[in-house]
Amino acid sequence: MDDIIEKVRQYMITNKMVQPQDILFAAVSGGADSVGMLLILMQLQKSFDYELHVIHVEHGIRGEESEADACFAQELAAENHLPMHLCKVDVPSFAKEHKMSEEEAARHLRYQAMQEEMLCYAKERGYKTDRIKLAVAHHMDDSAETLLLQLLRGAGPTGLTGLSGKRVLLPSEICLLRPFLCLRRSDIENYLKQKKQSHQEDATNQMDCYTRNYLRHQIMPLLETMNSKAVEHICQSGEFIRELTEINTVEAKAIYQQVHREKGIVRSQLLTFPREKRILVLREFLLDSGQGMHNINAHHLESMDDLLSKEVHKQINLPHQLIARNTYETMEIVRDTVSKEDNGIINIETASMQQDKVYSYEWGNYRIQCKRFARDFDCKIPQKIYTKWMDYDNIIRGLSIRSRREGDRIATMKDGQTTTLKKYFINEKIPKEMRDELPLICDGDQVVCVAGNRLSEAYKITGETKEIIEVEIQRRKTYECTYPCDVTGRRIDKEN
């Protein structure tokens, strides 16, 4: 037990996490990791001479379970005579208003609420911001999972570093600390057992419909059967990439200063540098423009790099309605002022769907109905273009309804070969002006089917299928077309 505490102490010293008289807020969700962190930070309080507080955010998305977590955190703070800070946010309303998933909204609101609470505390007492620190309980397993998830989504070097021991939160400039990155999840669980300390359990953490949970429960154990130190080695590689990236970033910033002008970057100058350096400079360009890197991956940076050598007025679309476009001398980043049909994201929690119950959703001009049921081999698969059957067991993250995104792909061949959605729309002769209005049924980043079109080969019913998700899509009003067409806007005259 003392070994774990000493390990964390040494890690905090090495990474210069705290100074005497710091105000350290421990983010306690009530789960095993955060409870273990709080206990160890209490043990180290005298050693580092910091003032320890507990902070908890109640998200308003899990009803009584969420309220029970908040009560647990409050009781734990009271038992140990620690100041308690409880923040409450409305994730469902925020997610709906800003058209994002509840998971993304919860993370945004959680850090926003904690920063506001800590800044308010500092202001009331006249403390400088640099005395305020926030500790979260991410550990080595979390870091390895994050690196692999970033790798799967096509991240560049800066995204393949795993989690950092400390970083600055914006806009508050409060320092975020991760003192548990030196520990495995099993270390924390064993510590709590030895201390006979209870904690809360979040039922959603066991649902493999979420990508991270699937990676944690299914993939990571397989990797550790191949190498028992797989997690440690992944994290070591992340640290090595971080060190190289920090060196390269310094050089990239210097190049950026050379090629940057008021309205963009000089294309001809940037093209004199090697591609790998240009990619890092383009990343600095995005960061400096105030757009950040949220949802920007290596694919987007590579597309921007390709654009550098294209003609004047050529442009590409980026996430968040951003456009990178060429002027006569520069590349500039602007916001797309032409609004597209954006009906947000509707998440369908397939894992919690009751058998044979119909769930209805409204998205834009469409009504989508979903039903989960056991397969009856006597029933034939429907051939209607607006009714699709998909293999429930092949759905990993849970279904969602959304519009198309840059880089979307769909499996069109039985061997898993995919094609871009853009190419698919062109081949199917779906008018360009209608493509943003069509609902996509997706499984995370994978397109499962397009309204009125084909189902991805990866989700089709096979002889092994045991459970089925039926999705029926109905359009509620007609498009105005100047030629005979179906509800997707695709021509249906004799020529086709």
Side-chain angles (χ1 to χ4, degrees), residues 245-285:
T245 301
E246 288 174 353
I247 295 171
N248 291 333
T249 298
V250 172
E251 185 179 6
K253 287 182 177 180
I255 297 172
Y256 176 64
Q257 292 302 319
Q258 295 176 36
V259 303
H260 179 251
R261 298 295 181 270
E262 182 180 355
K263 291 187 177 181
I265 49 176
V266 181
R267 294 186 288 131
S268 59
Q269 290 185 16
L270 184 54
L271 284 168
T272 62
F273 293 93
R275 181 179 175 85
E276 61 272 13
K277 292 183 179 180
R278 296 199 303 265
I279 294 292
L280 290 174
V281 173
L282 290 170
R283 184 177 186 276
E284 291 300 317
F285 182 30

Side-chain angles (χ1 to χ4, degrees), residues 128-141:
K128 292 183 178 179
T129 306
D130 59 5
R131 284 189 59 190
I132 308 296
K133 306 287 175 63
L134 174 65
V136 293
H138 295 133
H139 44 68
M140 199 180 295
D141 296 73

Side-chain angles (χ1 to χ4, degrees), residues 352-368:
S352 59
M353 290 175 68
Q354 297 178 25
Q355 289 275 350
D356 299 314
K357 180 179 178 180
V358 176
Y359 295 79
S360 295
Y361 307 90
E362 303 289 335
W363 190 93
N365 297 324
Y366 292 84
R367 177 179 292 109
I368 295 100

Side-chain angles (χ1 to χ4, degrees), residues 375-468:
R375 184 177 186 182
D376 181 348
F377 284 87
D378 292 331
C379 292
K380 292 184 179 180
I381 299 174
Q383 299 302 309
K384 298 178 181 179
I385 62 172
Y386 268 76
T387 301
K388 301 296 182 186
W389 280 11
M390 52 199 71
D391 192 325
Y392 169 76
D393 290 326
N394 287 349
I395 299 170
I396 304 301
R397 294 188 62 180
L399 298 180
S400 62
I401 308 165
R402 62 168 174 84
S403 56
R404 64 172 178 157
R405 295 173 179 169
E406 184 78 19
D408 275 339
R409 303 184 72 87
I410 186 169
T412 55
M413 304 294 289
K414 290 184 178 180
D415 62 2
Q417 184 176 339
T418 64
T419 186
T420 64
L421 202 58
K422 180 179 179 180
K423 184 176 181 181
Y424 174 77
F425 281 151
I426 292 171
N427 292 340
E428 294 297 313
K429 300 180 180 178
I430 296 174
K432 186 176 181 181
E433 65 272 15
M434 296 181 179
R435 296 171 190 172
D436 289 311
E437 300 176 6
L438 290 177
L440 306 183
I441 307 299
C442 300
D443 177 15
D445 296 331
Q446 302 296 315
V447 176
V448 179
C449 72
V450 184
N453 288 266
R454 72 180 299 150
L455 175 70
S456 168
E457 292 290 334
Y459 296 87
K460 285 189 173 181
I461 305 302
T462 69
E464 303 297 321
T465 300
K466 297 178 181 178
E467 281 193 282
I468 293 172

